[in-house]
Amino acid sequence: MSRYSPVNFPDVRLEGQFWHERLETVLTRTIPSQHAKLAENTILASLKLPQPPPPLRFPRHANGFTVQVFWDSDVGKWIEAASYALAHRRDKDIEDKIEAIVDDFEKAQAPDGYLNCWYLGHEPDKRWTNLRDNHEMYNAGHLLEGAIAYFRVTGRRRWLDIMERYLEHIYSVFGTGPGQKRGYDGHEEIELALMKLYYLTSDRKHLDFATYLINERGRQPPHYFDVEREARGEAEKLQRYTQGNYEYSQSHKPVREQDKVVGHAVRAMYLYTAMADLAAEIGDAALKHACEVLWDDVMETKMYVTAGLGPSAQNEGFTHDFDLPNQTAYAETCASVALIFWAQRMLHLDLDGKYADILELAMFNGALSGLSRDGEQYFYANPLESDGTPTRWAWHTCPCCTMNVSRLVASVGGYFLSTAADGVAFHLYGGIDTELEIAGTTVALREISTYPWSGAITIEVDPAVPTIFDLKLRIPGWCTGAGVSVNGTPVDVSGAVNGYLTINRDWFKGDVVKLDLPMPPVRLYAHPGVIMDAGRIALKRGPLVYCLEEIDNPGGRVQRLKLPRSAELRTETRADLFDGVVTLKADALAIREGDWQTLYRSTPPQDETATLTALPYYLWANRGQGSMVVWVPEVQ
Ligand SMILES: [Zn+2]
């Protein structure tokens, strides 16, 4: 089968209501407000390197660590998100802001190319002494992604040139050559950024260094983090910061031998993203196999129904199989965003709908929940149950998630489609318009739908000249009874392979494909190993996971509601809510709370009838504080 590649996101115009609204909010509110927050929190000032350095805004922990070591990465991610915004429409104000940041980095860059504002400003004699904890390459990776995005959109090379000088320095310090350090970063990121730079430049040295980093990770003895620790003169083998193990940074063994997803969730996802990129690029079967084994491990035992990842705040990551607590779920926004990156890479290793299903699930649920409706509030952790205490944050001590969600939404068009020499594949639906080169012809494609609210999808195909090519339609794994027709003639959907129905024909201008994806509300049950969800159901419709919020279910906390197994789930289109959503309704029971006088009693509680209303999970916590639950008790 032909190899499919991602499309350039600016080539995909979002016309459907769902993504058009999210994109406009991010462009007009999120990205400008994030710049203001970067300034307000002195992150932009930290690039100016005054001597002596100002007092720390976030004092060091007892182990010497301060979150300020990764401020450069926040700036890099903002530049990336802002550059994606510029691809939709140029904006002199945003460009001036980026140029001002580039000025600061240009001035800060050391004569040998080194560029990390924390170390240059605070500990210039300690560079490259603690890769395990201090994110130097991680910062470089995010700055590089920002530079690539800015160059791609504006054609301006200055920022990219600065970063390439920095990379030359890194390549001189690290490697397997004589006198070089055999290091790699405790927080993976630069690996996937280097793959992007390789795709941009075709310069083999970037691919080679990404390969070096992937190959070196977890190699021992000696373990590189021990080597540098001994060089620092520290006796304690592993500090608390690293959770006392190398699993935290996926450096416990070489990556091709890893078969269990462990440690910090975002680090893991960034690593697997780069592994999948590299496996595809160099045709490394062992690396591909490792990606597949790790994918299965996440899917079978470690992912929330919302595509949230990493239940524990303690390590911001994974614990044991089936450990998916709801109220204390960490499920960092960044982890779901990074899962989207990984899923997209897996999809381009093998065009298999199981990857697109997860890409979509994370997109509409675990990632999107991180951004408020107004575009200026965030969730870092994304619990699946709330007593009403958590609220969205205007900013965060570690603002990684804020720019992760904005860079995702600003480039979301790139996830809708892929192309090969002889075909095009639709992964997502939601109303897009694009022109792509397929089989040597420019083909205009217009997908018209109100997805995810409806599964009625029309695709208009307009090749410049009649052309034979594959048009592949993803039939989501959650969908049964899909219908497809071309110019009114039904197509047998049972011919779909790995979640994609291939229509190969001579396409003519004016051809129309209709796709009908029935999306009745369904109940999902968790594996019995997930003890937190025993006896409970989650509600889902199409790609959207639903939740109950107190504001829609007045009378007390939503934890008192129970859903009879026989209760019909009804849909209700609410034009008045969030510019139009589909809610779910059902006749339910609620524990009567008013007659309780004691903490415990032997008399069973009384139930009363109630109407249950469920809202898409990604929209929760946008209408004040209140209780919320995804997993609802089911009763006979
Ligand atoms: Zn984050």
Side-chain angles (χ1 to χ4, degrees):
M1 189 178 69
S2 303
R3 184 168 158 202
Y4 275 77
S5 306
V7 297
N8 195 18
F9 76 88
D11 295 340
V12 179
R13 293 174 293 281
L14 300 167
E15 296 192 333
Q17 176 259 343
F18 187 93
W19 286 110
H20 183 77
E21 184 280 331
R22 286 290 74 190
L23 179 64
E24 281 299 309
T25 299
V26 164
L27 299 187
T28 58
R29 302 195 62 167
T30 310
I31 288 167
S33 67
Q34 287 177 343
H35 185 273
K37 288 289 184 188
L38 288 170
E40 189 183 306
N41 287 275
T42 71
I43 294 176
L44 294 180
S46 78
L47 311 179
K48 294 189 184 296
L49 308 187
Q51 289 297 332
L56 296 187
R57 188 173 175 87
F58 296 103
R60 292 172 186 271
H61 296 290
N63 60 13
F65 181 76
T66 167
V67 296
Q68 289 187 212
V69 298
F70 40 73
W71 275 3
D72 282 2
S73 74
D74 299 319
V75 178
K77 265 196 289 195
W78 181 80
I79 291 177
E80 186 186 351
S83 298
Y84 294 160
L86 294 175
H88 297 283
R89 35 178 191 263
R90 297 295 287 265
D91 181 316
K92 184 168 185 316
D93 182 53
I94 285 182
E95 289 174 48
D96 288 348
K97 286 183 164 72
I98 295 174
E99 286 293 320
I101 291 170
V102 177
D103 287 344
D104 288 339
F105 276 117
E106 191 170 47
K107 283 182 200 135
Q109 187 164 37
D112 64 0
Y114 181 83
L115 184 56
N116 177 296
C117 290
W118 165 262
Y119 275 103
L120 289 168
H122 295 264
E123 300 179 306
D125 55 335
K126 290 191 177 169
R127 347 160 166 178
W128 306 129
T129 57
N130 189 351
L131 294 190
R132 186 190 70 190
D133 300 346
N134 284 351
H135 296 63
E136 265 164 307
M137 287 192 198
Y138 166 85
N139 282 307
H142 275 307
L143 292 177
L144 178 58
E145 282 200 273
I148 293 168
Y150 189 56
F151 170 73
R152 279 194 181 278
V153 172
T154 63
R156 293 190 195 129
R157 280 210 62 99
R158 184 168 64 120
W159 182 211
L160 193 59
D161 288 342
I162 291 168
M163 285 311 300
E164 293 207 82
R165 280 199 294 281
Y166 186 15
L167 289 175
E168 288 300 333
H169 167 77
I170 292 174
Y171 299 169
S172 72
V173 174
F174 295 96
T176 55
Q180 288 187 305
K181 295 173 187 275
R182 293 188 66 162
Y184 49 87
D185 205 272
H187 195 317
E188 304 90 326
E189 209 290 330
I190 194 172
E191 298 86 351
L192 73 90
L194 289 168
M195 293 304 296
K196 285 189 177 182
L197 185 60
Y198 172 65
Y199 300 141
L200 176 71
T201 63
S202 300
D203 189 334
R204 178 93 199 176
K205 68 187 173 196
H206 306 307
L207 178 67
D208 289 345
F209 196 71
T211 308
Y212 154 79
L213 291 171
I214 296 278
N215 289 346
E216 206 65 19
R217 188 164 214 88
R219 188 186 60 80
Q220 55 188 312
H223 194 292
Y224 181 73
F225 296 160
D226 287 335
V227 172
E228 62 167 17
R229 174 184 55 79
E230 282 164 15
R232 290 195 302 272
E234 290 172 13
E236 190 183 357
K237 187 168 170 63
L238 280 163
Q239 291 193 349
R240 193 179 44 177
Y241 175 77
T242 62
Q243 307 296 316
N245 61 61
Y246 289 132
E247 282 81 359
Y248 178 67
S249 54
Q250 298 79 39
S251 64
H252 54 302
K253 51 180 162 178
V255 299
R256 288 172 186 78
E257 296 170 23
Q258 296 190 21
D259 55 6
K260 283 285 188 185
V261 171
V262 294
H264 186 276
V266 181
R267 294 172 197 235
M269 293 303 113
Y270 285 165
L271 170 64
Y272 307 152
T273 299
M275 285 166 60
D277 266 340
L278 191 60
E281 194 55 43
I282 64 176
D284 187 321
L287 202 53
K288 179 173 186 254
H289 179 70
C291 289
E292 291 165 346
V293 169
L294 292 164
W295 180 272
D296 288 346
D297 185 49
V298 179
M299 295 306 137
E300 290 165 11
T301 63
K302 294 187 178 67
M303 187 180 72
Y304 282 99
V305 72
T306 53
L309 294 178
S312 172
Q314 200 236 347
N315 67 344
E316 297 192 301
F318 298 101
T319 53
H320 53 273
D321 290 356
F322 302 122
D323 181 31
L324 296 167
N326 291 309
Q327 194 174 345
T328 58
Y330 199 65
E332 182 178 341
T333 301
C334 283
S336 291
V337 171
L339 174 60
I340 292 168
F341 300 157
W342 184 27
Q344 191 200 33
R345 283 11 177 239
M346 296 303 285
L347 193 55
H348 293 120
L349 266 174
D350 277 321
L351 194 72
D352 189 323
K354 72 179 182 183
Y355 302 123
D357 284 346
I358 297 304
L359 190 159
E360 178 183 70
L361 184 74
M363 187 84 82
F364 279 108
N365 301 283
L368 209 50
S369 58
L371 181 66
S372 67
R373 186 67 181 170
D374 69 7
E376 297 186 25
Q377 310 262 317
Y378 309 91
F379 273 136
Y380 191 103
N382 291 275
L384 284 78
E385 178 168 0
S386 165
D387 62 4
T389 309
T391 54
R392 291 182 179 275
W393 301 53
W395 195 242
H396 199 277
T397 306
C398 168
C400 52
C401 299
T402 62
M403 269 78 69
N404 239 339
V405 75
S406 59
R407 67 178 175 148
L408 175 74
V409 174
S411 60
V412 72
Y415 296 92
F416 274 68
L417 302 144
S418 299
T419 54
D422 57 356
V424 58
F426 278 82
H427 312 305
L428 300 178
Y429 306 102
I432 55 115
D433 190 358
T434 188
E435 293 90 37
L436 300 170
E437 288 300 311
I438 306 167
T441 304
T442 302
V443 182
L445 294 164
R446 187 155 186 239
E447 182 258 307
I448 305 156
S449 69
T450 58
Y451 195 90
W453 309 121
S454 159
I457 294 156
T458 299
I459 299 173
E460 298 172 351
V461 185
D462 281 330
V465 295
T467 307
I468 297 172
F469 61 87
D470 286 347
L471 189 145
K472 290 176 179 283
L473 298 173
R474 170 174 159 255
I475 310 296
W478 50 259
C479 181
T480 52
V484 176
S485 68
V486 178
N487 300 328
T489 304
V491 178
D492 182 7
V493 178
S494 69
V497 176
N498 291 335
Y500 286 85
L501 178 68
T502 301
I503 307 172
N504 179 277
R505 68 195 299 275
D506 204 354
W507 294 96
F508 291 85
K509 194 169 180 59
D511 282 343
V512 174
V513 178
K514 295 255 188 194
L515 171 61
D516 180 39
L517 302 174
M519 48 171 71
V522 296
R523 297 162 186 243
L524 293 181
Y525 300 85
H527 185 286
V530 188
I531 55 175
M532 307 79 173
D533 299 336
R536 292 170 183 265
I537 50 139
L539 301 174
K540 190 160 180 270
R541 179 173 182 266
L544 296 171
V545 175
Y546 279 68
C547 68
L548 313 187
E549 271 204 296
E550 194 169 328
I551 190 170
D552 301 311
N553 296 278
R557 287 184 180 164
V558 290
Q559 282 81 357
R560 71 200 177 95
L561 287 159
K562 303 180 283 190
L563 191 60
R565 183 164 284 184
S566 58
E568 180 200 358
L569 299 172
R570 308 183 297 273
T571 58
E572 185 175 63
T573 301
R574 289 281 303 274
D576 59 313
L577 201 58
F578 299 115
D579 299 328
V581 298
V582 174
T583 60
L584 304 183
K585 295 255 186 202
D587 296 330
L589 297 170
I591 297 171
R592 187 177 293 161
E593 291 186 345
D595 59 349
W596 284 77
Q597 306 295 330
T598 56
L599 183 57
Y600 304 104
R601 72 183 198 193
S602 57
T603 317
Q606 298 292 305
D607 287 339
E608 56 194 12
T609 58
T611 300
L612 174 154
T613 301
L615 181 85
Y617 171 76
Y618 80 90
L619 284 166
W620 89 277
N622 279 297
R623 294 170 293 166
Q625 281 181 271
S627 55
M628 180 279 289
V629 67
V630 170
W631 289 97
V632 185
E634 186 183 57
V635 292
Q636 290 292 339

